[in-house]
Amino acid sequence: MTNLSVEVSSQIEQPLPGAPDNWKRFFGFSTDHKVIGIQYLVTSFFFFLIGGIFAMIIRGELITPEADLLDRTVYNAMFTMHGTVMLFLWTFPSLVGLSNYLVPLMIGAKDMAFPRLNAVAFWLVPLFGTILMASFFVPGGPSQSGWWAYPPVSLQNPTGNLINGQMLWLLAVAISGVSSIMGAVNFVTTIVRMRAPGMTWFRMPVFVWTVLAAQIIQLFGLPALTAGAVMLLLDLTIGTSFFDPAKGGDPVLFQHFFWFYSHPAVYVIILPIFGVFSEVFPVYARKPLFGYKVVAVSSLIITGLSSIVWVHHMFASGTPGWMRMAFMATTMLISVPTGIKVFAWVATIWGGKLRLNTPMLFALGGLFMFVFAGITGIMLAAVPIDIHVNNTYFVVGHFHYVIYGATVMGLYAAFYHWFPKMTGRMYSEGLGKLHFYLTLIGTNLNFFPMHPLGLQGMPRRVASYDPEFAFWNVIASLGAFLLGMSTLPFILNMIGSWVQGEKAPKNPWRAIGLEWLVSSPPTVENFEALPIVIAPPYGYGKSDPLVANPEALEVIHEPN
Ligand code: HEM
Ligand SMILES: [Cu+2]
């Protein structure tokens, strides 16, 4: 399996006795996938807080029907930057960070296939983040055309300056595309070529299958988004006419470039979360994952189907009837492999000896949110309903149940589950549970009201609205503020536990997986000798060992 000569970081650095006293590594150009993984997680969480502040400002404006907090151009910039920061600087990088940390450990590799490329891909994130934030400081301010940047709105340049908010937005998105393509090449190569002896395809944890499925989408989809962004940049800066209707260009063509990637991109977001659910539920139900092989393969089926549904974002863009019918059918079809996973998780939990600690609570909460979002998703796939609620708060509610309800709660489940492995410390269960209940209540109070608002016709992207919508908007804003506050116990817990939490053993959850066979945190090389895998994953309730050479995996370096 590992006959590919890999360029593993040659200089063997001091093993990590306890992460806190080795923090300097996290500010340097390290090629260690564990350090890079944590760099992605911490950097993206910083941007999550920034995106969250924008969200609080938006909800502050929307608590009253009048536009009485922000100027309308500032409001446009707020939702544009909120959506862009939350997706390109929080969601994608945080999932790459989690995958970076876990995949080599889970397949029994010493590092990613291309460690230096890995580091370069990470350092592009703070670069494009800075470029995007710089758009607040140029004349005219940030882009106001939403995270879609649809022309002709995105081609307006009131200042006439070459350097403007929209131009910087496009540059940032193009650079994020390059960084993600680098990551995708690295992940696919690592998973295909770096598996330890005996780690055959149907011995690979589902998390690794979902990362592979997500990164294949990045490889085939991102070039379309990057090409669309570059063509729009050329229209905006040197006056070409790809999408400019005034010059014979076709603005709807941009929508196809944008959504050909951005719909599959929602699976780049949710697939690794499906992986987290598949890792967490068996551990805390003490049962094997039901239908392991089907769950694994359905990830790749989702990858394939995700590339033939994008026009469901354009049912109100003058799309011909036959095309709407076709894409309505393909969109509904994608709920089949997704449904298979949901049934498999319910069957895994059912009758299990459940341990409701923080990771399990967040995974259960995330699953509940996903099922609710899935149901409204199927409603939106139906052309007659979509025509009615397109561009309303029903859509905003739907995708926030997926990207906050399922994705953010799924990420929290992962953070708590693998925190002991990453830091060598245990987190506070009390603060964890407080964080969970505040998040669960806040998320539903914040995003559920958006559904009746949308069905009643409240459009999105407006700073003022008809007073008949006031009741639900007040509830949503109060929910948003609670959700904002719910992040405090999490931050306290993560920093406090990382610095002075109780020392964590190798395997605090009695979980089955290669990452739990080495110390917490693992040494720089992960494994002294490569594991020899002899059993499929999730063998809960069974006695057969996962590897043939557990004692050879690591020689503990006693701290001086
Ligand atoms: C406390 C959490 C959050 C609150 C209160 C919130 C609130 C909102 C609201 C009210 C809008 C609609 C703005 C409008 O159309 O006028 C919006 C749009 C959006 N949100 Fe959030 N959101 C939150 C978290 C997130 C997260 C975690 C993500 C992604 C991971 C996200 C991604 C988006 C996107 C992509 C848009 C569309 C922006 C656009 O129309 O261009 N949001 N959010
Ligand atoms: Cu879609």
Side-chain angles (χ1 to χ4, degrees):
M1 289 281 175
T2 55
N3 52 19
L4 179 76
S5 58
V6 292
E7 142 219 353
V8 168
S9 48
S10 51
Q11 68 284 2
I12 300 293
E13 296 160 5
Q14 274 309 312
L16 288 176
D21 51 10
N22 230 346
W23 55 268
K24 297 189 198 69
R25 307 181 72 216
F26 299 104
F27 291 87
F29 188 85
S30 170
T31 59
D32 178 341
H33 73 96
K34 299 179 292 299
V35 173
I36 295 172
I38 290 174
Q39 286 175 323
Y40 266 109
L41 288 173
V42 174
T43 307
S44 60
F45 190 77
F46 167 72
F47 282 110
F48 176 59
L49 297 178
I50 291 183
I53 291 166
F54 295 154
M56 295 303 117
I57 296 171
I58 290 172
R59 289 296 349 162
E61 172 61 79
L62 293 171
I63 201 163
T64 61
E66 301 75 30
D68 46 11
L69 184 68
L70 305 169
D71 173 81
R72 290 179 192 280
T73 58
V74 176
Y75 183 83
N76 295 346
M78 273 302 111
F79 66 67
T80 302
M81 293 302 272
H82 162 73
T84 308
V85 168
M86 280 297 198
L87 287 172
F88 290 101
L89 283 159
W90 154 242
T91 316
F92 292 126
S94 61
L95 291 163
V96 168
L98 184 69
S99 309
N100 226 306
Y101 193 96
L102 292 176
V103 168
L105 283 165
M106 284 181 164
I107 62 173
K110 291 185 179 248
D111 208 315
M112 295 281 280
F114 312 112
R116 272 179 288 219
L117 181 73
N118 201 16
V120 172
F122 163 70
W123 283 103
L124 287 177
V125 175
L127 171 68
F128 77 76
T130 309
I131 291 173
L132 191 66
M133 288 302 136
S135 64
F136 274 100
F137 306 101
V138 295
S143 157
Q144 296 180 37
S145 59
W147 85 279
W148 308 334
Y150 278 6
V153 177
S154 54
L155 287 174
Q156 291 168 9
N157 181 7
T159 63
N161 297 348
L162 184 63
I163 306 286
N164 58 66
Q166 189 66 59
M167 181 269 192
L168 291 176
W169 186 95
L170 286 165
L171 188 60
V173 168
I175 297 174
S176 89
V178 172
S179 166
S180 298
I181 290 172
M182 287 174 171
V185 170
N186 219 336
F187 279 113
V188 173
T189 311
T190 304
I191 294 169
V192 172
R193 301 298 304 266
M194 304 268 294
R195 284 167 289 129
M199 179 58 82
T200 56
W201 289 104
F202 283 122
R203 285 184 177 158
M204 241 177 27
V206 169
F207 182 78
V208 181
W209 278 90
T210 59
V211 171
L212 178 66
Q215 296 301 328
I216 290 172
I217 293 175
Q218 295 285 59
L219 278 180
F220 78 65
L222 266 168
L225 177 79
T226 311
V230 169
M231 285 189 272
L232 192 61
L233 194 62
L234 294 174
D235 277 12
L236 187 68
T237 51
I238 62 170
T240 52
S241 58
F242 293 104
F243 308 124
D244 188 346
K247 298 179 187 156
D250 178 1
V252 175
L253 177 64
F254 175 83
Q255 296 186 23
H256 283 289
F257 273 101
F258 181 84
W259 288 116
F260 178 78
Y261 166 71
S262 296
H263 179 86
V266 304
Y267 290 99
V268 173
I269 292 173
I270 203 67
L271 274 164
I273 298 298
F274 291 165
V276 170
F277 291 164
S278 305
E279 299 306 323
V280 166
F281 289 140
V283 175
Y284 302 109
R286 310 312 297 169
K287 279 179 60 183
L289 179 67
F290 183 90
Y292 158 64
K293 285 186 179 170
V294 180
V295 172
V297 172
S298 68
S299 311
L300 292 178
I301 295 173
I302 288 176
T303 292
L305 283 175
S306 76
S307 63
I308 54 168
V309 299
W310 79 92
V311 171
H312 67 224
H313 291 274
M314 299 165 63
F315 283 163
S317 302
T319 303
W322 64 267
M323 198 188 263
R324 291 199 288 199
M325 289 305 116
F327 280 88
M328 173 168 84
T330 53
T331 305
M332 293 204 174
L333 197 59
I334 211 167
S335 58
V336 175
T338 315
I340 286 173
K341 287 180 185 287
V342 172
F343 286 122
W345 294 319
V346 172
T348 304
I349 299 164
W350 196 265
K353 284 197 282 311
L354 301 190
R355 181 177 171 192
L356 296 178
N357 63 353
T358 306
M360 185 59 163
L361 288 173
F362 268 109
L364 288 169
L367 176 58
F368 163 77
M369 295 291 191
F370 178 73
V371 171
F372 183 86
I375 293 165
T376 56
I378 292 172
M379 292 169 69
L380 285 166
V383 173
I385 297 179
D386 186 73
I387 295 291
H388 173 62
V389 296
N390 195 284
N391 261 332
T392 72
Y393 263 87
F394 190 88
V395 177
V396 179
H398 160 71
F399 69 67
H400 279 94
Y401 263 78
V402 183
I403 39 183
Y404 205 109
T407 304
V408 176
M409 289 177 82
L411 275 165
Y412 281 140
F415 293 163
Y416 286 108
H417 182 61
W418 281 288
F419 183 84
K421 184 53 57 183
M422 291 181 181
T423 63
R425 310 273 178 168
M426 298 304 288
Y427 62 81
S428 149
E429 193 59 46
L431 280 173
K433 287 208 168 82
L434 173 64
H435 175 215
F436 169 72
Y437 288 112
L438 291 178
T439 305
L440 188 70
I441 299 165
T443 307
N444 284 295
L445 274 185
N446 183 2
F447 301 120
F448 178 81
M450 293 178 175
H451 298 86
L453 283 171
L455 290 172
Q456 292 162 13
M458 181 177 172
R460 60 191 288 188
R461 295 178 171 176
V462 293
S464 63
Y465 50 82
D466 189 312
E468 70 167 299
F469 301 132
F471 170 74
W472 283 120
N473 271 293
V474 170
I475 305 281
S477 289
L478 295 177
F481 302 148
L482 179 65
L483 199 50
M485 282 191 285
S486 74
T487 321
L488 296 175
F490 172 72
I491 296 171
L492 273 179
N493 200 350
M494 293 294 114
I495 297 175
S497 308
W498 196 341
V499 174
Q500 59 191 17
E502 177 205 332
K503 278 238 180 266
K506 267 187 189 178
N507 191 358
W509 318 126
R510 292 183 300 113
I512 297 173
L514 294 183
E515 76 269 29
W516 302 108
L517 296 176
V518 291
S519 65
S520 300
T523 59
V524 171
E525 293 280 297
N526 295 350
F527 308 98
E528 215 70 41
L530 288 180
I532 299 166
V533 180
I534 53 174
Y538 319 113
Y540 296 96
K542 300 186 186 125
S543 55
D544 29 349
L546 188 64
V547 298
N549 58 341
E551 68 302 319
L553 299 187
E554 194 176 51
V555 180
I556 295 296
H557 302 267
E558 292 307 321
N560 325 332

